[in-house]
Amino acid sequence: MSTNVILVCLLVGTVNYLFRYLPLRMGARQKSGPKSGPLSRVLDSIGIASICALLVVSSTPEILRDHQKLLPSLAGFVLLALIFWRTKSIIIATLTGALAYGLVFKVMLMAAG
């Protein structure tokens, strides 16, 4: 098995684990409410963990083949995480991240051509 495949699997697994674990750790300091139990925080974090894991897995082969796609992928990922952190809406975060990827990629194409 290729070293690149093993590294991608370890990276995706670690990020996915952290997206599920960190809300439990960070949420322990917050006030209790009707939707603030540990199970609720885990279920809330599954959506963003899945989207981020899919983003890493699907974009890594493209980035390895074409290094120009690194910046649009990073822009999409960062915006995805920031929008989700602010809105807690996986739908808005995913669409905004995809839009950011497309816009950065288009601007880079226009600048190069």
Side-chain angles (χ1 to χ4, degrees), residues 2-49:
S2 171
T3 306
N4 290 340
V5 172
I6 293 172
L7 289 175
V8 168
C9 290
L10 288 173
L11 177 67
V12 169
T14 302
V15 170
N16 201 353
Y17 173 78
L18 290 174
F19 269 112
R20 294 167 194 257
Y21 175 75
L22 290 177
L24 291 175
R25 278 288 145 213
M26 294 169 60
R29 290 182 237 134
Q30 296 175 354
K31 293 181 183 179
S32 295
K35 258 186 83 176
S36 66
L39 181 59
S40 175
R41 286 193 298 274
V42 168
L43 292 175
D44 286 345
S45 67
I46 287 175
I48 189 72

Side-chain angles (χ1 to χ4, degrees), residues 31-97:
K31 293 181 183 179
S32 295
K35 258 186 83 176
S36 66
L39 181 59
S40 175
R41 286 193 298 274
V42 168
L43 292 175
D44 286 345
S45 67
I46 287 175
I48 189 72
S50 300
I51 296 298
C52 289
L54 286 171
L55 176 66
V56 170
V57 168
S58 65
S59 63
T60 299
E62 288 294 319
I63 291 170
L64 290 175
R65 275 194 298 262
D66 184 8
H67 297 294
Q68 290 182 344
K69 293 187 178 177
L70 177 62
L71 185 61
S73 296
L74 285 175
F77 177 76
V78 167
L79 204 57
L80 172 90
L82 287 174
I83 296 294
F84 181 76
W85 177 66
R86 294 293 290 161
T87 65
K88 301 297 185 234
S89 170
I90 192 66
I91 296 168
I92 294 171
T94 303
L95 293 175
T96 308

